[in-house]
Amino acid sequence: MKILDCTLRDGGYYTNWDFSKELVNNYLKSFNDLPADYLEIGYRSNPMNEYLGEYFYCPVYLLEEIRSLSKKKLVIILNEKDVRPEHVSALLSPCIGLIDMVRIALDPQYLGRALKLAAEIKKLNFEVGFNIMYMSKWKNYGGFLDEIKYVDEVADYFYMVDSYGGVYPGDVIETIKMVKERTTCPIGFHGHNNMELGLINSLTAIEHGAEIIDVTITGMGRGAGNLKTELLLTALNAKEGLEVDFNTLSILVDSFEKLQKQYSWGSNLPYMVSGANSLPQKDVMEWVSRRFYSFNSIIRALQNQKKGIKDNEQLPLFEPSEKFTNAIVIGGGPNGVQHATGVLAYLEKNPDSCIIHASSKNASYYKSANVPQFFCLVGNEGHRLEKIFTDLGGFNGKCVLPPFPRKMGTYIPATIRDNTFELDAIDFTSKLADTHTALALKTSLQLNAKNIMIVGYDGYQDSSLSQQERSLSEENEYLFTAFQNHHPEIKIEAITPTNYKTLPVTSVYQYLV
Amino acid sequence: MKILDCTLRDGGYYTNWDFSKELVNNYLKSFNDLPADYLEIGYRSNPMNEYLGEYFYCPVYLLEEIRSLSKKKLVIILNEKDVRPEHVSALLSPCIGLIDMVRIALDPQYLGRALKLAAEIKKLNFEVGFNIMYMSKWKNYGGFLDEIKYVDEVADYFYMVDSYGGVYPGDVIETIKMVKERTTCPIGFHGHNNMELGLINSLTAIEHGAEIIDVTITGMGRGAGNLKTELLLTALNAKEGLEVDFNTLSILVDSFEKLQKQYSWGSNLPYMVSGANSLPQKDVMEWVSRRFYSFNSIIRALQNQKKGIKDNEQLPLFEPSEKFTNAIVIGGGPNGVQHATGVLAYLEKNPDSCIIHASSKNASYYKSANVPQFFCLVGNEGHRLEKIFTDLGGFNGKCVLPPFPRKMGTYIPATIRDNTFELDAIDFTSKLADTHTALALKTSLQLNAKNIMIVGYDGYQDSSLSQQERSLSEENEYLFTAFQNHHPEIKIEAITPTNYKTLPVTSVYQYLV
């Protein structure tokens, strides 16, 4: 029985396939003393239309360096959907002598196409592995099941991939049986850990004849991540007497701790729900990494997906009769508190204004303002409003939601339902329509504001940027730019300190002199 | 099949049984809308000789308040080892009408004694549960197995507790069978999560007839923690259609996030190794929460325990022939770097001095000092030394280890083995003999220092104190006090800025004027 560690390949979903040389060198050196047979380094790929890092393309100099440092068999993987037999020579000939196995990640319905790809790869004398996704749904693919018998000729491993992290040991046993009836190709198992079943599913697979298991250090990998290398090795050490150098293993695990703190992979309630119900994880991973979606909003969205509901309901369109010269857009940064007195003084002087709370976080500091107030309801903001306005007894603002249909659900407190509206299509961006900033800018447009004054959009210092903060920061920069390009007729400026580079900056106090 | 949530009781191992009112109120309110049957609130206990919080004693006012907020059956637990039948009336009569079930946590070898305790509790008409530890070792307790048949008369639930977090589904099935042959008492399962087997073991237990399962929110609980409430509910929702209000559940899970960040419960490599090998977790929990033990040192200690080795070897005693007037003890704080030039100037002026590196963290800044240098080797310091002195080529310091026998292993680089010694018994403290500070102070004594000058012991600002930092800080304060009480003849002072309150503070610069 063999072990394949694919930390760099699968962990790349978090780092966009860039890793520091120090981390990788330590990884390779450590594995020289640990019982794994294969290390999967990354992808080889035709050019894609976005930034993807070094380990997504695995240039030859990188493979040479890794080959020189590692005593293990090395593996790269191809995405079947992006690679055709005619690409094989260009992508893989340079890897001869550096790489031992090429894996193919594929949707089961394209097994026929993948067989041709594998035949082409075999001509270059690589070992070939099929990593076949969506194992929990295989029994629904009749064509796929019929084609499994051809796998023997071209593949060295036939992997069952638990893409959703939702299969149980009983499913593993049943699927192995189904595969064994059709092929003698050695079986592999790649388990995700949404339900913390990675270990027991893998041990069950081994017990029922699987010959190779995928693992990653600390479980680093897409979404909730994988079976942890250290967990499988510890279990096999205690149960089967597998020799493990725990000093080396613990140094290796430690070296991923900093990245783990930065990206927070691992399971949590949203991943559990998506796993248990075989819902796609791509959305969940995006939502979890964006700081303004609480677990609560994500769960609501997943429940909607499970029920096949795009959103709970269509609301009346936001078609206000009022018009304002100035829209004060207030974000959730500390400067929204720090300069609240200044902003309130500005509103006293300029009553032809309104407040738009992009986030309600600072709303309590603006309760006394004598101008109409609008609240952008994204994700969990409804709960926040209930807290700030103590169950919304005296609340007289208006709330706006993203355009229908909404992917993410939104909590709307019952007491303010009559004052809640949804926005019409947003013209200045086709994506990010469900973000605080897009809503606030669209609301300003609907209110015919000539001037948009941004408050409490502090942004972040580069040095302290977490992945979530970077993502939020980039989204806001993008939206400010897109808005200015589409609406040059509107003046937009930050009037409190900001780290956003795409916003002109003035000062609230210059208007109070 | 019933669910018992024991977050407050088992989570108390991390918070010392203190919880904020806000957290508890939200917990109780949330569970009113969630499918759990019992909530275990905490312990009732005779007075113990240490500080233990509100939920370890559960005073009546607290139980009344909780009773008024919760619609669920409420549970408290007793530690069998500390409670006798004659204590029952005083401990439990006040709980009548407030509490529904009393559980007894017990070592299987004391089941006989526990049966008498249970009979006494039954007189007060409580439901009674037995929580019987060390399930993986039950088959070795013949007397216990014989006594199980008496359980029917006094207990409502007979819990199998996987104390080490190391049992597998097969063990669960086997143990249930063993219990069912002896009693008709409903069976419960309390699973720990060291090997991420909490869910599958619990589902297996249910499938084989267990009628009640313990869970905690986010798995909060001693050591690696428990089966997560949210994971069991998600699984039962998807598999069995159990009705779960995921909005409420996610708000509840979120509310524990801050505590989780503070205390970091959950599994990691040391807990996996202790679980897989049925090693006690109390030590591991202490080591993991003390920041100066790397996973590597903990694993080494666990491997030693597994092999029955107290420590790898006995070293020559540290019996130096040199004597020094001044010992400069250098800690790992930033002030050890900031004021290095001043300290080096002091050493130029006072060559009858030596340096003792309590931590090697700042050692590279003192390489040029022209006085003998001593290094305290605790846990991972050996690896640090190798890094700082590039494989110890030009290293000419001496290293000291804690007295023999050592609970924790210590890594000693081969090249410096001849210059490595162990200390004799430490006179000024009976505990904490394996800490950096105890070693440094003991080394100063051995070197006959008249003056101990402390550098780079910055301590921490109260406001930013993590659990680990607080623990380290308290240990050092304790050691400084104990040392000064035992050795009034020695002058000890901090000569760089420090937050430690038990150290007299002067300035390195006052000696350079």
Side-chain angles (χ1 to χ4, degrees):
Chain A
M1 175 253 155
K2 294 185 161 56
I3 295 172
L4 183 151
D5 187 281
C6 51
T7 307
L8 299 176
R9 193 274 294 183
D10 222 345
Y13 280 97
Y14 278 96
T15 66
N16 210 6
W17 291 281
D18 278 324
F19 294 96
S20 77
K21 200 169 281 286
E22 190 192 352
L23 185 83
V24 174
N25 287 358
N26 181 54
Y27 169 87
L28 297 169
K29 193 178 148 210
S30 299
F31 263 113
N32 284 341
D33 296 327
L34 289 171
D37 306 273
Y38 293 89
L39 303 181
E40 189 170 68
I41 298 307
Y43 289 85
R44 290 277 285 181
S45 172
N46 296 316
M48 308 294 280
N49 264 334
E50 57 182 319
Y51 178 77
L52 294 160
E54 206 173 11
Y55 291 80
F56 193 81
Y57 294 103
C58 287
V60 170
Y61 72 83
L62 184 72
L63 294 177
E64 286 173 344
E65 201 177 317
I66 289 171
R67 179 70 289 164
S68 74
L69 293 170
S70 178
K71 298 179 192 162
K72 302 292 176 174
K73 284 189 171 185
L74 299 179
V75 185
I76 58 110
I77 195 166
L78 306 176
N79 271 330
E80 190 279 332
K81 72 180 163 60
D82 301 321
V83 181
R84 295 292 161 267
E86 59 267 30
H87 304 137
V88 164
S89 171
L91 285 177
L92 297 182
S93 299
C95 306
I96 293 172
L98 301 171
I99 287 296
D100 301 281
M101 173 151 69
V102 175
R103 299 211 293 182
I104 303 171
L106 68 138
D107 184 318
Q109 59 182 309
Y110 299 118
L111 179 57
R113 213 164 63 184
L115 287 164
K116 292 183 189 123
L117 184 63
E120 203 63 30
I121 298 170
K122 259 294 168 205
K123 288 184 191 160
L124 302 178
N125 285 318
F126 292 109
E127 292 180 57
V128 171
F130 280 134
N131 266 39
I132 309 180
M133 301 186 276
Y134 317 130
M135 143 185 185
S136 56
K137 299 187 169 170
W138 283 4
K139 50 189 151 200
N140 309 328
Y141 293 97
F144 162 69
L145 295 177
D146 292 342
E147 282 166 340
I148 292 180
K149 61 174 176 282
Y150 302 116
V151 164
D152 301 47
E153 298 160 29
V154 287
D156 299 278
Y157 295 107
F158 184 93
Y159 264 92
M160 316 185 297
V161 179
D162 175 19
S163 303
Y164 303 113
V167 306
Y168 283 84
D171 304 318
V172 172
I173 295 170
E174 191 188 314
T175 309
I176 288 181
K177 188 164 168 283
M178 196 167 78
V179 174
K180 287 207 165 202
E181 283 163 4
R182 291 167 170 79
T183 176
T184 58
C185 185
I187 293 175
F189 179 71
H190 179 102
H192 288 160
N193 210 32
N194 299 53
M195 303 294 288
E196 300 186 352
L197 295 170
L199 178 65
I200 194 69
N201 284 339
S202 299
L203 293 176
T204 304
I206 294 168
E207 196 185 326
H208 289 265
E211 297 180 38
I212 189 165
I213 299 293
D214 280 8
V215 292
T216 67
I217 297 294
T218 71
M220 186 182 195
R222 190 172 192 173
N226 300 82
L227 167 60
K228 297 175 178 75
T229 310
E230 61 272 28
L231 185 58
L232 181 65
L233 295 187
T234 302
L236 294 177
N237 167 267
K239 278 172 87 87
E240 321 280 349
L242 177 76
E243 196 68 45
V244 176
D245 176 347
F246 281 98
N247 291 319
T248 300
L249 181 59
S250 63
I251 291 169
L252 176 56
V253 168
D254 277 357
S255 73
F256 279 84
E257 199 191 340
K258 210 178 124 200
L259 275 185
Q260 210 285 330
K261 288 217 164 107
Q262 190 181 344
Y263 294 104
S264 302
W265 57 83
S267 199
N268 56 36
L269 186 52
Y271 285 125
M272 291 171 195
V273 173
S274 66
N277 298 289
S278 293
L279 300 169
Q281 307 199 51
K282 196 162 166 271
D283 285 344
V284 183
M285 188 166 167
E286 194 191 319
W287 293 333
V288 167
S289 69
R290 280 158 73 172
R291 64 182 319 188
F292 50 89
Y293 292 132
S294 68
F295 280 2
N296 194 24
S297 342
I298 299 171
I299 294 296
R300 180 185 303 272
L302 288 172
Q303 292 290 99
N304 288 349
Q305 280 189 15
K306 188 179 161 188
K307 292 179 197 146
I309 303 170
K310 279 278 180 185
D311 192 33
N312 295 322
E313 56 179 319
Q314 195 150 8
L315 294 165
L317 269 190
F318 182 58
E319 294 168 320
S321 49
E322 310 126 287
K323 294 182 176 194
F324 301 95
T325 308
N326 313 299
I328 314 289
V329 170
I330 301 180
N335 281 324
V337 178
Q338 171 78 22
H339 303 286
T341 312
V343 174
L344 290 169
Y346 176 88
L347 291 168
E348 281 286 317
K349 266 183 89 167
N350 300 275
D352 51 340
S353 306
C354 65
I355 292 178
I356 300 168
H357 294 281
S359 157
S360 308
K361 194 167 174 200
N362 293 329
S364 60
Y365 298 90
Y366 295 87
K367 277 185 185 171
S368 68
N370 257 334
V371 301
Q373 303 201 28
F374 301 87
F375 297 83
C376 301
L377 284 198
V378 181
N380 218 27
E381 290 288 333
H383 290 292
R384 198 176 249 168
L385 275 185
E386 285 180 322
K387 276 194 189 157
I388 291 172
F389 293 93
T390 333
D391 290 329
L392 299 168
F395 183 77
N396 59 5
K398 285 190 176 134
C399 298
V400 293
L401 265 68
F404 188 86
R406 293 174 284 278
K407 225 178 188 181
M408 291 287 290
T410 306
Y411 171 68
I412 307 172
T415 46
I416 60 167
R417 187 160 290 262
D418 292 345
N419 288 313
T420 299
F421 305 89
E422 62 181 44
L423 291 166
D424 205 354
I426 294 178
D427 65 342
F428 54 87
T429 178
S430 59
K431 52 181 186 177
L432 303 176
D434 56 349
T435 62
H436 293 85
T437 303
L439 260 60
L441 295 175
K442 171 69 179 172
T443 304
S444 307
L445 285 178
Q446 294 289 96
L447 293 167
N448 285 292
K450 305 270 169 294
N451 309 307
I452 300 179
M453 297 167 128
I454 308 279
V455 169
Y457 267 71
D458 300 5
Y460 302 94
Q461 300 284 3
D462 276 352
S463 62
S464 66
L465 230 56
S466 75
Q467 172 66 10
Q468 289 184 326
E469 289 166 344
R470 186 178 313 124
S471 158
L472 177 59
S473 185
E474 285 167 1
E475 284 173 12
N476 284 339
E477 297 279 22
Y478 167 83
L479 286 167
F480 289 136
T481 306
F483 184 85
Q484 290 172 79
N485 290 342
H486 275 73
H487 295 287
E489 77 283 5
I490 296 174
K491 187 178 163 202
I492 181 168
E493 63 192 311
I495 59 172
T496 62
T498 183
N499 287 305
Y500 285 105
K501 293 175 189 66
T502 48
L503 276 181
V505 192
T506 62
S507 163
V508 60
Y509 302 104
Q510 77 192 48
Y511 299 110
L512 300 178
V513 180
Chain B
M1 173 252 157
K2 295 186 161 55
I3 294 172
L4 183 150
D5 187 282
C6 51
T7 308
L8 299 176
R9 194 274 295 184
D10 223 344
Y13 280 98
Y14 278 97
T15 66
N16 210 5
W17 291 280
D18 279 324
F19 294 96
S20 77
K21 201 168 279 287
E22 190 193 351
L23 184 83
V24 174
N25 287 359
N26 181 54
Y27 169 87
L28 298 169
K29 194 179 147 209
S30 298
F31 263 113
N32 285 340
D33 296 327
L34 289 171
D37 306 274
Y38 294 89
L39 302 181
E40 190 169 68
I41 299 306
Y43 288 85
R44 289 278 285 180
S45 173
N46 296 317
M48 308 294 278
N49 264 336
E50 57 182 318
Y51 179 78
L52 294 159
E54 207 173 9
Y55 292 80
F56 192 81
Y57 293 104
C58 287
V60 170
Y61 73 83
L62 184 72
L63 294 177
E64 286 172 342
E65 202 177 317
I66 289 170
R67 180 69 290 163
S68 73
L69 293 171
S70 178
K71 297 178 192 163
K72 302 291 178 174
K73 285 190 170 182
L74 299 178
V75 186
I76 58 110
I77 195 166
L78 306 175
N79 271 331
E80 190 279 332
K81 72 181 163 59
D82 300 323
V83 181
R84 297 289 160 268
E86 58 268 29
H87 304 137
V88 164
S89 172
L91 285 177
L92 297 181
S93 299
C95 305
I96 294 172
L98 300 171
I99 286 296
D100 300 282
M101 174 152 68
V102 175
R103 299 211 292 182
I104 302 169
L106 68 139
D107 185 320
Q109 60 183 309
Y110 299 118
L111 179 56
R113 214 165 62 183
L115 286 165
K116 292 182 190 126
L117 184 63
E120 203 62 29
I121 298 169
K122 259 293 168 205
K123 288 186 191 162
L124 302 178
N125 285 317
F126 292 108
E127 293 179 57
V128 170
F130 280 134
N131 266 39
I132 309 178
M133 300 185 277
Y134 317 129
M135 146 188 181
S136 56
K137 299 187 170 169
W138 283 5
K139 51 189 152 202
N140 309 328
Y141 293 99
F144 162 69
L145 295 177
D146 291 343
E147 282 167 339
I148 292 181
K149 61 173 175 282
Y150 301 117
V151 164
D152 300 45
E153 297 161 29
V154 288
D156 299 278
Y157 295 107
F158 185 92
Y159 265 91
M160 317 185 296
V161 178
D162 174 20
S163 303
Y164 303 112
V167 306
Y168 283 84
D171 305 318
V172 171
I173 295 170
E174 191 188 314
T175 309
I176 289 182
K177 187 164 169 284
M178 195 167 79
V179 174
K180 286 206 166 205
E181 283 164 4
R182 290 166 170 79
T183 176
T184 58
C185 184
I187 293 175
F189 179 72
H190 179 103
H192 287 160
N193 210 33
N194 299 53
M195 304 294 287
E196 300 187 354
L197 295 170
L199 178 65
I200 195 68
N201 284 339
S202 298
L203 293 176
T204 304
I206 295 168
E207 197 186 326
H208 289 264
E211 296 179 39
I212 189 164
I213 300 293
D214 280 7
V215 290
T216 67
I217 297 293
T218 69
M220 186 181 195
R222 189 172 192 172
N226 302 81
L227 168 58
K228 297 175 178 76
T229 310
E230 61 272 28
L231 185 59
L232 181 65
L233 295 187
T234 302
L236 294 177
N237 167 266
K239 278 173 87 89
E240 321 280 348
L242 177 75
E243 196 68 45
V244 176
D245 176 347
F246 281 98
N247 290 318
T248 299
L249 181 59
S250 63
I251 291 168
L252 176 55
V253 168
D254 277 356
S255 75
F256 279 85
E257 199 192 339
K258 209 178 123 200
L259 275 184
Q260 210 283 332
K261 288 216 165 108
Q262 191 182 342
Y263 293 104
S264 301
W265 58 84
S267 200
N268 55 36
L269 186 52
Y271 285 125
M272 291 172 195
V273 173
S274 66
N277 298 290
S278 292
L279 300 169
Q281 307 199 51
K282 195 162 165 275
D283 285 344
V284 183
M285 188 166 165
E286 194 191 319
W287 293 332
V288 167
S289 69
R290 280 157 74 171
R291 64 182 321 191
F292 50 88
Y293 292 133
S294 68
F295 280 1
N296 194 24
S297 342
I298 299 171
I299 294 296
R300 180 186 303 271
L302 288 172
Q303 292 290 100
N304 288 350
Q305 282 189 12
K306 188 180 161 187
K307 293 179 198 146
I309 303 170
K310 279 278 181 185
D311 193 33
N312 294 325
E313 57 180 318
Q314 194 150 8
L315 294 164
L317 268 190
F318 182 59
E319 295 170 318
S321 49
E322 311 125 287
K323 294 184 177 195
F324 300 94
T325 308
N326 312 299
I328 314 288
V329 170
I330 301 181
N335 281 324
V337 177
Q338 171 78 24
H339 302 286
T341 313
V343 174
L344 290 169
Y346 176 89
L347 291 168
E348 281 286 318
K349 266 184 88 167
N350 299 275
D352 51 339
S353 306
C354 65
I355 292 179
I356 300 169
H357 294 282
S359 156
S360 308
K361 195 167 173 199
N362 294 329
S364 59
Y365 298 91
Y366 294 88
K367 277 185 186 173
S368 67
N370 256 335
V371 301
Q373 304 200 28
F374 301 86
F375 297 82
C376 301
L377 284 199
V378 180
N380 218 27
E381 289 288 333
H383 290 292
R384 196 175 250 168
L385 275 186
E386 285 180 318
K387 276 194 191 158
I388 291 172
F389 293 92
T390 334
D391 292 329
L392 299 167
F395 183 77
N396 59 5
K398 286 190 176 133
C399 298
V400 292
L401 266 67
F404 189 85
R406 293 174 285 278
K407 225 177 187 182
M408 291 288 290
T410 305
Y411 171 68
I412 308 172
T415 45
I416 60 168
R417 186 160 291 262
D418 292 346
N419 287 314
T420 300
F421 306 88
E422 62 181 43
L423 290 167
D424 205 355
I426 294 178
D427 65 341
F428 55 87
T429 178
S430 60
K431 52 181 185 176
L432 304 175
D434 57 350
T435 62
H436 293 84
T437 303
L439 260 61
L441 295 175
K442 172 68 179 172
T443 304
S444 307
L445 285 178
Q446 294 290 98
L447 293 167
N448 286 292
K450 306 269 169 294
N451 308 308
I452 299 178
M453 298 167 127
I454 308 279
V455 169
Y457 267 71
D458 300 6
Y460 302 94
Q461 300 284 0
D462 274 352
S463 61
S464 67
L465 229 56
S466 76
Q467 172 66 10
Q468 289 184 327
E469 289 166 345
R470 187 179 312 124
S471 159
L472 178 59
S473 184
E474 284 168 1
E475 284 173 13
N476 284 339
E477 297 280 22
Y478 167 83
L479 286 167
F480 289 137
T481 307
F483 184 84
Q484 289 172 79
N485 289 342
H486 275 74
H487 294 287
E489 78 282 6
I490 296 174
K491 187 176 164 203
I492 181 168
E493 63 192 310
I495 59 171
T496 61
T498 181
N499 287 305
Y500 285 106
K501 292 175 188 65
T502 48
L503 276 180
V505 193
T506 62
S507 164
V508 59
Y509 302 104
Q510 76 190 46
Y511 299 110
L512 301 178
V513 179

